[in-house]
Amino acid sequence: MAIPDPIQQGIKKGWQVVNGLKITKPSVFEADVVIIGTGAGGGIAAEILSNAGLTVLMVEEGLLRSSNDFNMDEHIAYAELYQEGGGRSTKDGAITIMQGKAVGGTTVVNWTSCFHTPDTTLQFWQDQFSVTGITAETLAPWYQYIEKRLNIGSWDVPPNPNNAVLKAGCEKLGYQVASIPRNVKGCWNLGYCGTGCPTNAKQSMLVTTIPTALNNNATLLYASVAQRFNWQQDRINHLICYPLKQANGVLNKQAPITIKAKHYLLAAGAIGSPAILLRSNVPDPYRRIGQRTFLHPVTMSAAQMSEEIAGYAGAPQSIYSDHFQWPDDDSMGFKLEVPPLQPVLASVLMKKTGDELHQRMLKLPYTQVLLALLRDGFHPESQGGRVVLRNDGSPVLDYPLTPYIWRAVKKSLLVMAEIQFAAGAKQVFPAHIDSTLTSNWLEVKAHINNLDLVTYKTLLGSAHVMGGCGMGEKPYNSVVNSESRFHYFDNLSILDGSVFPTSVGANPQLSIYALSALQSSRLASELKS
Ligand SMILES: Cc1cc2nc3c(=O)[nH]c(=O)nc-3n(C[C@H](O)[C@H](O)[C@H](O)COP(=O)(O)OP(=O)(O)OC[C@H]3O[C@@H](n4cnc5c(N)ncnc54)[C@H](O)[C@@H]3O)c2cc1C
């Protein structure tokens, strides 16, 4: 029996869904609130604001794809569901950036790990950025609300062998290790979360909050790019969008879409939200927009195991270790997890070409990979990157890599290799262009210490873009206040990962959901009164 596709069912039922690819002449839309971006921040806001009886218009630059389209084919998924066709990177090409571009945003392709914002992070925001009222206590009811809404809970299925290696290695070495809560309902344990869930088990925005908003008579305008705000003094008058002419991103500038709303809610994600503000030339006396954009830069280490790992099957991330997350000295901490190993993704992670890549790919079923998420933004030598506009107005992130970060890169490679050998790896190779297969801990230690840890040679990636419109009470070091309101306009809020003043220090989706729920509930009350 075919799996019911809730999106196709809703459209048949009469949801107001407009495909930008079909818009050929100028048009005007009106709503109480327009939400730009339908990912973690935008999806939650759409449900809460439409539940409050406000008319909501959701604008999304990506395509509308749903379970009937998700066929576990990596080539199609990266091209259709990811920013820049899966090819986004930092300005110098040194760090690959995975970020979603679809109705449902990055939640459509993420790997379902859910963590609260660490207390230390919240304290840092309060101390360094004067963020007020965002504490573990104020967030607690919103976590509860989101955990219920998105079915977030412990994952009681045994970890797949890829994750089990992290568990075994940490246990052997006495390192902290635990299971990861996931936002899934009736998960088939396929392992293909990154290509769109074909069974609707992942509780992404696509199958949860967006359908509720559409049932509440919200309108979804997709394949349409929010270009710039038209503003005067301290208010936005309207938003200009362009529909896509072709699915590959060419804009139809002959058919501008004018959107008028009482309130404008930016949720286009880190990189996307600052880009719209920069294109709009909004007031920015301290030049904060786009600054302090963070990545949780990721390093990886691969291992050959004796038993089959099949890292392409089973829940992609189910085990983590925070043993190295909050070191006593001021070095950069990191969280340890495991990536899924579908063939296209795995071939990139190997950081090899030609025959060497071929040989390593032949061993993929026995290959295990660990990743370290480096916690950027908590040190003077980790100020993050800056979003700038290319000549065509599209955004790109300039992210300098400092000696402070390189020291954490080295430490993370050493720690991961040690864990892999402790878990019984036959061979370990760090994800680096010059890496060789090493057979024991002493050998890999010497090898890593001799590796030339520089850009292009060392594999660095990111799936967690944060910041660029940071929160705080002082306009000289923030873009929005602690209620996510833009400092200089009355009718603009930002509710997505861009408002974090540093990286989160944990996979960010639940932090974004909870913050968006808190702020959009406040906004709903204000707009209703
Ligand atoms: C492969 C992968 C795995 C991940 N796994 C996890 C995980 O397991 N756990 C976790 O916590 N996090 C994970 N993340 C990260 C997490 O999903 C994101 O941090 C989160 O979704 C960001 O939410 P957001 O609202 O800031 O932006 P997004 O969810 O990215 O949504 C922003 C939306 O805005 C749209 N947009 C941008 N510009 C415009 C414009 N000009 N006009 C109209 N629309 C626009 C984008 O197309 C996008 O759909 C993962 C990310 C990736 C890529």
Side-chain angles (χ1 to χ4, degrees), residues 36-42 59-62 82-83 98-102 104-107 109-114 224-227 267-270 272 276 279 317 463-465 495-498 507-510 512:
I36 303 159
T38 58
V59 180
E60 171 56 54
E61 67 176 348
Y82 285 74
Q83 290 290 346
M98 295 174 87
Q99 215 178 3
K101 177 181 173 181
T106 310
T107 73
V109 293
N110 78 19
W111 300 338
T112 72
S113 301
C114 292
S224 300
V225 181
Q227 193 65 13
I276 295 167
R279 285 198 293 265
Q317 284 180 330
H464 299 165
V465 197
L495 284 183
D496 57 22
S498 74
N507 310 49
Q509 67 170 337
L510 182 49
I512 300 170

